[in-house]
Amino acid sequence: MARYKDEQCRICRREGQKLFLKGERCYSDKCSISRRNYAPGQNGQKKAKLSEYGTQLREKQKTKSFYGVGEKQFRKYFEMASNSKGKTGEVLLTLLESRLDNVVYRLGFASSRAQARMLVTHGAFDVNGIKVNIPSYLIKAGDVISVREIKKDNGTIKAATESNESRPVPTWLERDLSKLSGKVIRIAAREDVDLPIEEHLIVELYSK
């Protein structure tokens, strides 16, 4: 899948807010938003008024950036949400939260979703005792995600776990640091999503 490969801090500056794409750097003085809180490019400091379509588009792009999802896959999630019971926007966010790479990040085994995606791709995690190396794998209630035995000494995972030890784990998840594992108590609901997303704008964009 094609991915945005430019400097990630430029994405945050484009959206005008922190998207926490680079882990610990986003919490430090090195964060680009803290130093240059305007859009990249020679016209970045000019304040342009967005149209209704522009506002909806930026909301979609921002949400894609949060979860590290490409356009084709994001559209697939929207179609899945549209064909499911419940409010389309809320179901969309539930699907995104249910991605394995997001769950690994939420459990604190990675410092960012991008890092979680890399670790999953490299086969660092089991789901219910079976290795899963697909970041987009959708977890279900009752699933147990654990660091594979041969990966428990992985420096990246150990550093992230130590750094995130005090970070609260969402109420829909349960973490056991001694075993480097976590359990999905229930599927995330809209109120569990702590990201500044206005999902109704995305629904309006795709409904045109």
Side-chain angles (χ1 to χ4, degrees):
M1 180 177 65
R3 291 201 178 277
Y4 182 89
K5 295 183 179 180
D6 202 352
E7 174 57 52
Q8 289 180 314
C9 292
R10 288 175 64 88
I11 304 177
C12 296
R13 290 176 59 205
R14 173 63 61 192
E15 301 304 336
Q17 63 186 98
K18 291 187 179 186
L19 303 183
F20 300 98
L21 304 179
K22 301 196 74 172
E24 292 302 315
R25 182 187 176 94
C26 300
Y27 297 93
S28 71
D29 294 334
K30 295 181 180 180
C31 175
S32 291
I33 285 291
S34 302
R35 295 185 289 114
R36 293 177 292 175
N37 191 12
Y38 52 85
Q42 61 181 4
N43 296 317
Q45 297 189 55
K46 295 182 179 179
K47 296 293 183 179
K49 185 177 180 181
L50 290 176
S51 63
E52 179 183 34
Y53 171 78
T55 301
Q56 295 166 349
L57 179 62
R58 290 259 56 87
E59 196 66 24
K60 183 198 72 168
Q61 297 296 87
K62 179 179 71 176
T63 304
K64 284 169 51 183
S65 296
F66 268 131
Y67 291 99
V69 176
E71 178 61 37
K72 185 176 180 180
Q73 194 167 37
F74 192 83
R75 184 65 190 238
K76 178 183 176 182
Y77 286 134
F78 182 82
E79 291 173 356
M80 290 172 63
S82 298
N83 294 325
S84 302
K85 293 181 179 179
K87 295 182 179 179
T88 300
E90 293 183 4
V91 176
L92 173 64
L93 292 182
T94 293
L95 288 170
L96 292 168
E97 282 290 315
S98 298
R99 286 173 55 96
L100 179 57
D101 55 359
N102 178 73
V103 174
V104 167
Y105 167 71
R106 292 292 195 186
L107 286 170
F109 298 143
S111 61
S112 67
R113 288 180 179 84
Q115 188 180 82
R117 186 162 51 249
M118 178 197 70
L119 290 169
V120 171
T121 302
H122 289 175
F125 296 92
D126 285 338
V127 178
N128 300 326
I130 300 173
K131 183 177 79 170
V132 177
N133 59 2
I134 303 172
S136 61
Y137 179 88
L138 296 178
I139 56 85
K140 303 179 294 296
D143 283 351
V144 175
I145 295 87
S146 57
V147 178
R148 300 186 69 213
E149 196 64 38
I150 61 173
K151 297 288 185 177
K152 287 188 176 180
D153 288 329
N154 181 286
T156 300
I157 296 175
K158 290 176 71 175
T161 303
E162 290 172 4
S163 176
N164 296 319
E165 186 173 358
S166 60
R167 190 178 80 190
V169 174
T171 56
W172 54 282
L173 297 172
E174 184 178 80
R175 180 177 66 185
D176 187 338
L177 285 176
S178 64
K179 296 181 180 179
L180 289 181
S181 67
K183 184 176 182 179
V184 182
I185 305 301
R186 58 178 173 80
I187 296 300
R190 176 62 186 94
E191 55 268 23
D192 296 313
V193 181
D194 57 357
L195 302 174
I197 297 173
E198 296 182 66
E199 65 274 12
H200 67 92
L201 294 175
I202 301 173
V203 176
E204 291 170 4
L205 175 66
Y206 278 131
S207 298
K208 291 184 176 180

